[in-house]
Amino acid sequence: MIMDSYNYEIGQYVVYGDDGVCRVVDIGKPDMPHLDAAEQFYFLKPLDYDGMIYAPVSSASHMRPVMEAGRAARLLDEIKIMNCDAVVCRDKKQMQAQYESMLAKDDCEAYARTVKSIYTKRGNCPSSKKKLSLMEEQLLKRIERSLVSELAVALNMPAETVRKRLESACAQ
């Protein structure tokens, strides 16, 4: 197979499901005897943790390119005016279902809306004293990490700078 037939190239940044932004470091067959010898894999290096992910080239449906810089800048601006009501629900399963429906698409705008919704519930400020459920704290941490890392790569900015801009945008 020639390199032009792959959807992604070595060196390219991609978003891989809940693992967030990864860099394609190689394309080939991992040294694992149980894998099909004919199957090709993307070797993905996550930006947020040590490890290697082997994603089959033939089923790279959980992968997408990192958004372009212009879209990332617009998204940070749009967060300020997004109308995102806090999810209020006493039943934890219902609350989780509401959040999952907000995140049904692997879409940065959905992630941004969810982050803003949880910030709204907490009182906009990360240092606020309002308590979130453990599920909301874990969800916020997961999607905030993914969103911040993608925005940071797209905008070529340090993650901490992007995180501060995101917090500021959500507070408006």
Side-chain angles (χ1 to χ4, degrees):
M1 210 181 269
I2 57 171
M3 289 299 264
D4 292 342
S5 65
Y6 297 114
N7 291 328
Y8 305 102
E9 298 175 2
I10 294 172
Q12 184 175 1
Y13 289 100
V14 297
V15 178
Y16 185 72
D18 282 344
D19 291 291
V21 177
C22 300
R23 188 169 167 266
V24 178
V25 295
D26 200 1
I27 302 170
K29 183 180 180 319
D31 188 19
M32 296 180 189
H34 66 281
L35 296 176
D36 179 2
E39 181 96 44
Q40 293 290 303
F41 290 79
Y42 292 110
F43 291 54
L44 306 175
K45 175 76 175 114
L47 295 187
D48 293 330
Y49 62 91
D50 287 333
M52 186 67 66
I53 299 167
Y54 305 105
V57 168
S58 62
S59 62
S61 60
H62 297 293
M63 290 173 58
R64 64 175 173 76
V66 169
M67 75 177 93
E68 295 178 1
R71 181 170 178 230
R74 282 191 307 278
L75 182 60
L76 276 174
D77 288 339
E78 290 168 0
I79 291 171
K80 298 172 188 173
I81 59 171
M82 282 181 182
N83 185 14
C84 302
D85 296 326
V87 174
V88 180
C89 191
R90 292 192 188 276
D91 183 284
K92 289 181 182 179
K93 287 186 181 192
Q94 262 187 335
M95 184 184 338
Q96 186 167 3
Q98 276 189 276
Y99 282 124
E100 292 302 325
S101 72
M102 292 170 74
L103 298 171
K105 288 176 42 179
D106 181 21
D107 177 330
C108 293
E109 186 174 315
Y111 277 35
R113 284 185 185 286
T114 305
V115 167
K116 187 165 183 177
S117 173
I118 295 173
Y119 276 14
T120 299
K121 185 172 188 175
R122 185 170 56 188
N124 285 330
C125 180
S127 62
S128 175
K129 301 294 183 213
K130 288 191 181 180
K131 284 286 198 181
L132 298 173
S133 71
L134 179 60
M135 184 271 300
E136 288 171 311
E137 288 286 353
Q138 291 172 337
L139 178 67
L140 178 61
K141 185 177 180 179
R142 185 184 97 212
I143 62 175
E144 190 178 42
R145 182 193 78 220
S146 183
L147 182 61
V148 166
S149 66
E150 183 169 6
L151 291 169
V153 168
L155 296 169
N156 195 27
M157 298 174 110
E160 193 52 39
T161 301
V162 172
R163 183 178 317 285
K164 288 177 182 172
R165 286 185 62 186
L166 178 64
E167 289 173 358
S168 173
C170 285
Q172 295 184 13

